[in-house]
Amino acid sequence: MRAGEIAKVLQAERLKRAHPWAPVSADQLTAREFFSLIGMKGKGRQYRRTLRYLRLSCSRDDEAERAPAYLAKCFRHGITVLVFQGRGHGAVSVEYRIPVESLKDEYADRARRLISGRKGNPSDSVSLKHETYRQLVALSARAGKSIPDLVDEWARREWRFWLEGGDAVISMAEANGRDT
């Protein structure tokens, strides 16, 4: 068999084992969300290597034990990945999803915050660059506060600074109660 034929056979086997496609639930992270959770960019050698370990952990338990430390430290009892059939029949034939309950507590908490942001109201959202969002997630984890709490604290601090240095004659009680 040629390499292309072997790849097709392995792909068909992977599709046969995969769950039928279903929308992402609040109990699961997509691979892209998981990568942003651990602070990894969506390209490059480390990305491809991590994706390979996610794929291998679905089919072979012995291979998952060889996973790098940065990946293994996120899970409670070994790497747990669910495989779903891709939505279309294009280049992405399978989707990898990580159950939130399989993550360690610190990662599970961050994942729940990430999932709650997924279901947020569009009117409440602010468009951010991917890098800025990654930095906010990291700051949130380090400070132990949610991203909305951090932004609220920074906005209040900037508002107070502006009031103290500006020409506005507004009391602090009025400033704290004011919607901006």
Side-chain angles (χ1 to χ4, degrees):
M1 282 185 137
R2 294 182 182 178
E5 294 170 342
I6 293 172
K8 286 181 181 179
V9 169
L10 291 174
Q11 185 71 5
E13 183 65 28
R14 200 175 308 135
L15 276 172
K16 190 169 65 174
R17 290 186 193 177
H19 300 284
W21 187 86
V24 180
S25 71
D27 303 336
Q28 305 163 350
L29 285 175
T30 64
R32 185 174 296 272
E33 289 171 333
F34 176 72
F35 289 156
S36 71
L37 183 75
I38 62 174
M40 183 181 299
K41 292 185 179 183
K43 59 183 175 181
R45 183 177 183 182
Q46 186 180 17
Y47 170 79
R48 290 189 305 272
R49 180 178 179 212
T50 306
L51 194 58
R52 176 179 172 264
Y53 280 111
L54 290 179
R55 184 179 70 235
L56 290 174
S57 68
C58 300
S59 58
R60 295 176 46 189
D61 293 333
D62 62 334
E63 191 70 31
E65 293 175 3
R66 297 184 211 165
Y70 69 86
L71 184 61
K73 74 176 183 177
C74 301
F75 294 91
R76 291 177 197 242
H77 307 290
I79 299 171
T80 306
V81 179
L82 302 174
V83 181
F84 287 85
Q85 293 176 358
R87 194 171 193 173
H89 299 288
V92 179
S93 57
V94 293
E95 295 178 7
Y96 300 105
R97 299 181 189 168
I98 292 85
V100 174
E101 71 268 358
S102 69
L103 298 172
K104 288 187 179 175
D105 290 335
E106 65 181 85
Y107 292 101
D109 292 340
R110 290 168 50 192
R112 286 186 194 97
R113 281 185 254 151
L114 189 67
I115 289 170
S116 70
R118 182 196 306 158
K119 296 187 289 182
N121 296 332
S123 62
D124 294 342
S125 65
V126 177
S127 64
L128 297 173
K129 293 180 183 173
H130 181 67
E131 183 67 24
T132 304
Y133 182 71
R134 277 186 356 137
Q135 291 170 348
L136 281 172
V137 169
L139 286 169
S140 171
R142 185 169 286 182
K145 297 179 181 179
S146 68
I147 292 174
D149 291 342
L150 286 174
V151 172
D152 186 47
E153 180 181 326
W154 293 334
R156 286 180 193 261
R157 188 181 311 149
E158 286 298 315
W159 181 250
R160 287 185 185 125
F161 176 77
W162 180 79
L163 286 177
E164 290 172 0
D167 295 325
V169 183
I170 302 173
S171 70
M172 290 304 282
E174 189 178 59
N176 287 334
R178 189 182 265 193
D179 290 334
T180 57

